[in-house]
Amino acid sequence: MKAILLAGGKGTRLRPLTLNTPKPIVPIFNRPFLMYQLDQLRQVPEITEVILSLNYQPRRIEETFGNGEALGIKISYAVEPQPLGTGGAIKFSAQTVQDSVIVLNGDVLQQIDLQAVIARHRAANAKATIVLTPVDNPSAYGLVETDASGNVQRFLEKPGQDEITVNTINAGVYVLEPDTLDRIPDNETYSIERQYFPSLVANGETFVAYVNDGYWIDIGTPEKYRQVHRDIMDGRYHAAPFLDRAGGIVDLGARIEQDVHIQGPCFLDEGAVIKAGARLGPYAVVGRQVQVDEQAQVRDAVIWANSVVGADAVVEGALVGRNCHIGRNTVVGGGRMLGDRSTVTDYSRL
Ligand code: GDD
Ligand code: MG
């Protein structure tokens, strides 16, 4: 069985971080995001090949994963000439697909038994199977209504507040039969959510749901991107590098001077330098070669590689890109995002 990973979105909601780093390889700690999904796919013996469906900055992504040999799973690439939308991208990527295919949104992290989803698809002899997850507010997602036996009755993408009837949404994992893709035109923009799924319902085709109660997050917004780091540090989602160290301090080789105070959970990547009197944590994610100067404080923040936090600065509740320079005595907080190579002048308050 082949898997298609939809990873062609521009990541607009994560700008400016995604200007130089496409969303699929935005790091979660020290690993590109898609690595976490590939870890999961690798655990399903039936999945023999992963097709990465790309559009935006494909070269960077291909360089990161290659043919998958080093990761123990075969990876191939389908790069659209222009963005075709989720449905168009699936059609474009599925040219070599002859069997049931599993499709995943490339920006979702979830605890899920993919084998059980495939089994549900087969047991129901379904044309399509969709994984659902409960959320507090479905408005940012695809709302899915089912009957008591789990047959999908309605699919409504981005419902208005007055259209919310249930709390189950599209979790971004599907098993599809190849013949159902015939309705998608070649090389045209087409939405799996707004067109394909509603058409299955309208035609009365066998379209079933698999409700998953495990951890689920779409990392596509700044708040969720910070949240996923906190959740992994807390052990709410079990993943490297915090697999057996939830709540603790993961230090991959930082140089820590005297009188530094670190409160877990925290992550310190290789080559980070933490100067005397600095205070880290809880929830500080300090990237490769980052320098945190004397008496600076970093809490609930993600700082990408090669940035500098000046002396006495406070970084709290923020995302900081690569090669940034945060001056001394500054305050950077309140959900701020600094793009790569930003400079914050000494004594600034953001
Ligand atoms: N190749 C390709 N081409 N991929 C695309 C394109 C495209 O034109 N457009 C979007 N994608 C990829 C994105 O990279 C992402 O991995 C996935 O398709 C979903 O797109 P998003 O832009 O992240 O959509 P969303 O988060 O607003 O909504 C989707 O995900 C929700 C769950 O997180 C929908 O599928 C919702 O129904 C769902 O609930
Ligand atoms: Mg998304």
Coordinates of all heavy atoms in Angstrom, one line a residue, residues 119-177:
A119 N -8.0 -1.5 8.6 CA -8.9 -2.7 8.8 C -10.4 -2.3 8.8 O -11.2 -3.0 8.2 CB -8.6 -3.3 10.2
R120 N -10.7 -1.1 9.3 CA -12.1 -0.6 9.3 C -12.5 -0.4 7.9 O -13.7 -0.7 7.5 CB -12.2 0.7 10.1 CG -13.4 1.6 9.8 CD -14.4 1.5 10.9 NE -15.5 2.4 10.7 CZ -16.8 2.0 10.4 NH1 -17.1 0.7 10.1 NH2 -17.7 2.9 10.3
H121 N -11.6 0.2 7.1 CA -11.9 0.5 5.6 C -12.3 -0.9 4.9 O -13.3 -0.9 4.2 CB -10.7 1.1 5.0 CG -10.8 1.4 3.5 ND1 -11.5 2.5 3.1 CD2 -10.4 0.8 2.4 CE1 -11.5 2.6 1.8 NE2 -10.8 1.5 1.3
R122 N -11.5 -1.9 5.2 CA -11.7 -3.2 4.5 C -13.0 -3.8 5.0 O -13.8 -4.4 4.2 CB -10.5 -4.1 4.7 CG -9.3 -3.5 4.1 CD -8.3 -4.6 3.7 NE -7.2 -3.9 3.0 CZ -5.9 -3.9 3.4 NH1 -5.5 -4.5 4.5 NH2 -5.0 -3.3 2.6
A123 N -13.2 -3.8 6.3 CA -14.3 -4.5 6.9 C -15.6 -3.9 6.4 O -16.6 -4.6 6.1 CB -14.3 -4.4 8.4
A124 N -15.6 -2.6 6.2 CA -16.8 -1.9 5.7 C -16.9 -2.0 4.1 O -17.9 -1.5 3.6 CB -16.8 -0.4 6.1
N125 N -15.9 -2.5 3.5 CA -15.8 -2.5 2.1 C -16.1 -1.1 1.5 O -16.9 -0.9 0.6 CB -16.8 -3.5 1.5 CG -16.5 -4.0 0.1 OD1 -15.4 -3.7 -0.4 ND2 -17.4 -4.7 -0.5
A126 N -15.4 -0.2 2.1 CA -15.7 1.3 1.9 C -15.0 1.8 0.6 O -14.0 1.3 0.2 CB -15.3 2.1 3.1
K127 N -15.6 2.8 0.0 CA -15.0 3.5 -1.1 C -14.0 4.5 -0.5 O -13.0 4.9 -1.1 CB -16.0 4.3 -1.9 CG -16.8 3.4 -2.8 CD -15.9 2.9 -3.9 CE -16.7 2.0 -4.9 NZ -15.7 1.3 -5.8
A128 N -14.4 5.0 0.7 CA -13.5 6.0 1.4 C -13.7 5.9 2.9 O -14.8 5.6 3.4 CB -13.7 7.4 1.0
T129 N -12.6 6.0 3.7 CA -12.7 6.0 5.1 C -12.0 7.3 5.6 O -10.9 7.6 5.1 CB -12.0 4.7 5.7 OG1 -12.7 3.6 5.2 CG2 -12.0 4.7 7.2
I130 N -12.6 7.9 6.6 CA -12.0 9.2 7.1 C -11.8 9.1 8.6 O -12.7 8.5 9.3 CB -12.8 10.4 6.7 CG1 -12.2 11.7 7.1 CG2 -14.2 10.3 7.3 CD1 -12.9 12.9 6.5
V131 N -10.7 9.5 9.1 CA -10.5 9.6 10.6 C -11.0 10.9 11.1 O -10.8 12.0 10.5 CB -9.0 9.4 10.9 CG1 -8.7 9.6 12.4 CG2 -8.4 8.1 10.4
L132 N -11.8 10.8 12.2 CA -12.3 12.0 12.9 C -11.7 12.1 14.2 O -11.4 11.1 14.9 CB -13.9 11.8 13.0 CG -14.7 11.5 11.8 CD1 -16.2 11.5 12.1 CD2 -14.4 12.4 10.6
T133 N -11.7 13.3 14.7 CA -11.2 13.6 16.1 C -12.2 14.7 16.7 O -12.6 15.5 16.0 CB -9.7 14.0 16.1 OG1 -9.3 14.1 17.4 CG2 -9.5 15.4 15.4
P134 N -12.4 14.6 18.0 CA -13.3 15.6 18.6 C -12.4 16.8 18.9 O -11.3 16.7 19.4 CB -13.7 14.9 19.9 CG -12.8 13.8 20.1 CD -12.1 13.4 18.9
V135 N -13.0 18.0 18.7 CA -12.3 19.3 19.1 C -13.3 20.2 19.7 O -14.5 20.0 19.5 CB -11.6 20.0 17.9 CG1 -10.5 19.2 17.3 CG2 -12.7 20.4 16.8
D136 N -12.8 21.2 20.5 CA -13.7 22.1 21.1 C -14.4 23.0 20.1 O -15.6 23.3 20.2 CB -13.0 23.0 22.1 CG -12.5 22.2 23.3 OD1 -13.1 21.1 23.5 OD2 -11.5 22.6 24.0
N137 N -13.7 23.5 19.1 CA -14.3 24.4 18.2 C -14.0 24.0 16.7 O -12.9 24.2 16.2 CB -13.8 25.9 18.4 CG -14.4 26.8 17.4 OD1 -15.3 26.5 16.6 ND2 -14.0 28.1 17.5
P138 N -15.0 23.4 16.1 CA -14.7 22.8 14.7 C -14.5 23.9 13.6 O -14.2 23.5 12.5 CB -15.9 22.0 14.4 CG -16.6 21.7 15.8 CD -16.3 22.9 16.6
S139 N -14.7 25.2 13.9 CA -14.8 26.2 12.8 C -13.6 26.3 11.9 O -13.7 26.6 10.8 CB -15.2 27.5 13.4 OG -14.2 28.0 14.2
A140 N -12.4 25.9 12.5 CA -11.2 26.0 11.6 C -10.9 24.7 10.8 O -9.9 24.6 10.2 CB -10.0 26.3 12.5
Y141 N -11.9 23.8 10.9 CA -11.6 22.4 10.4 C -12.7 22.0 9.5 O -13.6 22.8 9.1 CB -11.4 21.4 11.5 CG -10.4 21.9 12.5 CD1 -10.7 22.3 13.8 CD2 -9.0 21.8 12.2 CE1 -9.8 22.8 14.7 CE2 -8.0 22.2 13.1 CZ -8.4 22.7 14.3 OH -7.5 23.1 15.2
G142 N -12.7 20.7 9.1 CA -13.8 20.1 8.3 C -14.8 19.4 9.3 O -14.3 18.4 9.9
L143 N -16.0 19.8 9.4 CA -16.9 19.2 10.3 C -17.6 18.0 9.6 O -17.9 18.0 8.4 CB -18.0 20.2 10.6 CG -19.2 19.7 11.5 CD1 -19.4 20.7 12.6 CD2 -20.4 19.6 10.7
V144 N -17.6 16.9 10.4 CA -18.1 15.6 9.8 C -19.2 15.0 10.6 O -19.0 14.7 11.8 CB -17.0 14.6 9.6 CG1 -17.6 13.3 8.9 CG2 -15.9 15.2 8.8
E145 N -20.4 14.9 10.1 CA -21.6 14.2 10.8 C -21.6 12.8 10.3 O -21.5 12.5 9.1 CB -22.9 14.9 10.4 CG -23.0 16.3 11.0 CD -24.3 17.0 10.5 OE1 -25.2 16.3 9.9 OE2 -24.4 18.2 10.6
T146 N -21.9 11.9 11.2 CA -22.1 10.5 10.9 C -23.4 10.0 11.5 O -24.0 10.6 12.3 CB -21.0 9.6 11.5 OG1 -21.1 9.7 12.9 CG2 -19.6 10.0 11.0
D147 N -23.9 8.8 11.0 CA -25.0 8.2 11.6 C -24.5 7.2 12.7 O -23.3 7.1 12.9 CB -25.9 7.4 10.6 CG -25.2 6.2 10.0 OD1 -24.1 5.8 10.5 OD2 -25.7 5.7 8.9
A148 N -25.4 6.5 13.4 CA -25.0 5.7 14.5 C -24.0 4.6 14.1 O -23.2 4.1 15.0 CB -26.3 5.1 15.2
S149 N -24.0 4.1 12.9 CA -23.1 3.1 12.5 C -21.8 3.7 11.9 O -21.0 2.9 11.4 CB -23.7 2.2 11.4 OG -25.1 2.1 11.5
G150 N -21.6 5.0 12.0 CA -20.4 5.6 11.5 C -20.3 5.8 10.0 O -19.2 6.0 9.5
N151 N -21.5 5.9 9.4 CA -21.5 6.3 7.9 C -21.5 7.8 7.9 O -22.3 8.4 8.6 CB -22.7 5.7 7.2 CG -22.7 4.2 7.2 OD1 -21.8 3.6 6.7 ND2 -23.7 3.6 7.9
V152 N -20.7 8.4 7.0 CA -20.6 9.8 6.9 C -21.9 10.3 6.3 O -22.3 9.9 5.2 CB -19.4 10.3 6.2 CG1 -19.4 11.8 6.0 CG2 -18.1 9.8 6.9
Q153 N -22.5 11.3 6.9 CA -23.8 11.9 6.4 C -23.6 13.3 5.8 O -24.4 13.8 5.0 CB -24.8 12.0 7.5 CG -25.1 10.7 8.2 CD -25.9 9.8 7.3 OE1 -27.0 10.1 6.8 NE2 -25.3 8.6 6.9
R154 N -22.5 13.9 6.3 CA -22.3 15.3 5.9 C -20.8 15.7 6.1 O -20.3 15.3 7.1 CB -23.2 16.2 6.7 CG -23.2 17.7 6.2 CD -24.4 18.4 6.8 NE -24.5 19.7 6.4 CZ -24.6 20.8 7.2 NH1 -24.6 20.6 8.5 NH2 -24.6 22.0 6.7
F155 N -20.3 16.4 5.2 CA -18.9 17.0 5.3 C -19.0 18.5 5.0 O -19.4 18.9 3.9 CB -17.9 16.3 4.4 CG -16.5 16.7 4.6 CD1 -15.6 15.7 5.1 CD2 -16.0 18.0 4.4 CE1 -14.3 16.1 5.4 CE2 -14.7 18.3 4.7 CZ -13.8 17.3 5.2
L156 N -18.6 19.3 6.0 CA -18.8 20.7 5.8 C -17.4 21.4 6.2 O -17.1 21.5 7.4 CB -19.9 21.3 6.7 CG -20.3 22.7 6.5 CD1 -20.6 23.0 5.1 CD2 -21.4 23.1 7.5
E157 N -16.7 21.9 5.2 CA -15.4 22.5 5.5 C -15.5 23.9 6.1 O -16.3 24.7 5.6 CB -14.6 22.5 4.2 CG -13.1 23.0 4.3 CD -12.2 22.1 5.2 OE1 -12.6 21.0 5.4 OE2 -11.1 22.6 5.5
K158 N -14.8 24.2 7.1 CA -14.8 25.5 7.8 C -16.2 26.0 8.1 O -16.7 27.0 7.5 CB -14.0 26.5 7.0 CG -12.6 26.1 6.5 CD -11.6 26.1 7.6 CE -10.1 25.9 7.1 NZ -9.8 24.6 6.6
P159 N -17.0 25.3 8.9 CA -18.4 25.7 9.2 C -18.4 27.0 9.9 O -17.5 27.3 10.7 CB -18.9 24.5 10.1 CG -17.6 24.0 10.7 CD -16.5 24.1 9.7
G160 N -19.5 27.8 9.6 CA -19.8 29.0 10.4 C -20.2 28.6 11.8 O -20.7 27.4 12.0
Q161 N -20.1 29.5 12.8 CA -20.5 29.2 14.2 C -21.9 28.6 14.2 O -22.2 27.7 15.0 CB -20.4 30.4 15.1 CG -18.9 30.8 15.4 CD -18.1 29.7 16.1 OE1 -18.7 28.8 16.8 NE2 -16.8 29.8 16.0
D162 N -22.8 29.1 13.4 CA -24.2 28.6 13.4 C -24.4 27.3 12.7 O -25.5 26.8 12.6 CB -25.2 29.7 12.9 CG -24.7 30.1 11.5 OD1 -23.5 29.9 11.1 OD2 -25.5 30.7 10.7
E163 N -23.4 26.8 12.1 CA -23.5 25.5 11.3 C -22.9 24.4 12.1 O -22.8 23.2 11.6 CB -22.8 25.6 10.0 CG -23.4 26.6 9.0 CD -22.6 26.8 7.8 OE1 -21.4 27.2 7.9 OE2 -23.2 26.5 6.7
I164 N -22.4 24.6 13.3 CA -21.8 23.6 14.1 C -22.8 22.7 14.8 O -23.5 23.1 15.7 CB -20.7 24.2 15.1 CG1 -19.6 24.9 14.2 CG2 -20.1 23.1 16.0 CD1 -18.6 25.7 15.0
T165 N -22.9 21.5 14.3 CA -23.9 20.5 14.9 C -23.2 19.4 15.7 O -23.9 18.8 16.6 CB -24.6 19.8 13.7 OG1 -23.6 19.4 12.8 CG2 -25.5 20.8 13.0
V166 N -21.9 19.1 15.5 CA -21.2 18.1 16.2 C -19.8 18.5 16.5 O -19.4 19.6 16.0 CB -21.1 16.8 15.4 CG1 -22.5 16.1 15.2 CG2 -20.5 17.0 14.0
N167 N -19.1 17.8 17.3 CA -17.7 18.2 17.6 C -16.6 17.4 16.9 O -15.4 17.5 17.1 CB -17.4 18.2 19.1 CG -17.4 16.8 19.7 OD1 -17.8 15.9 19.0 ND2 -16.8 16.7 20.9
T168 N -17.1 16.5 16.0 CA -16.1 15.7 15.3 C -15.7 16.3 14.0 O -16.5 16.7 13.2 CB -16.7 14.3 14.9 OG1 -18.1 14.5 14.6 CG2 -16.7 13.3 16.1
I169 N -14.4 16.4 13.8 CA -13.8 17.0 12.6 C -12.9 16.0 11.8 O -12.5 15.0 12.4 CB -13.0 18.3 12.9 CG1 -11.9 18.0 13.9 CG2 -13.9 19.3 13.5 CD1 -10.5 18.4 13.3
N170 N -12.6 16.4 10.6 CA -11.7 15.6 9.8 C -10.3 15.8 10.3 O -9.7 16.8 10.4 CB -11.8 16.3 8.4 CG -10.7 15.8 7.5 OD1 -10.0 14.8 7.7 ND2 -10.4 16.6 6.4
A171 N -9.7 14.6 10.7 CA -8.4 14.6 11.4 C -7.3 14.6 10.3 O -6.1 14.6 10.6 CB -8.3 13.4 12.3
G172 N -7.7 14.5 9.0 CA -6.6 14.6 8.0 C -6.0 13.3 7.7 O -4.8 13.3 7.2
V173 N -6.7 12.2 7.8 CA -6.2 10.9 7.4 C -7.3 10.1 6.7 O -8.4 10.0 7.2 CB -5.8 10.0 8.6 CG1 -5.4 8.6 8.2 CG2 -4.7 10.7 9.4
Y174 N -7.1 9.7 5.5 CA -8.1 9.0 4.7 C -7.5 7.7 4.1 O -6.3 7.6 3.8 CB -8.5 9.8 3.5 CG -8.5 11.3 3.7 CD1 -7.8 12.2 3.0 CD2 -9.3 11.9 4.7 CE1 -7.7 13.6 3.2 CE2 -9.3 13.3 5.0 CZ -8.5 14.1 4.2 OH -8.5 15.4 4.4
V175 N -8.4 6.7 3.9 CA -8.1 5.6 3.0 C -9.1 5.7 1.9 O -10.3 5.8 2.1 CB -8.2 4.2 3.7 CG1 -7.8 3.1 2.8 CG2 -7.5 4.2 5.0
L176 N -8.5 5.7 0.6 CA -9.4 5.9 -0.5 C -9.2 4.8 -1.5 O -8.1 4.3 -1.7 CB -9.0 7.3 -1.2 CG -8.9 8.5 -0.3 CD1 -8.4 9.7 -1.1 CD2 -10.2 8.8 0.3
E177 N -10.3 4.5 -2.2 CA -10.2 3.5 -3.3 C -9.8 4.3 -4.6 O -10.3 5.4 -4.9 CB -11.5 2.8 -3.5 CG -11.8 1.8 -2.4 CD -10.6 0.8 -2.3 OE1 -10.3 0.1 -3.2 OE2 -10.1 0.8 -1.2

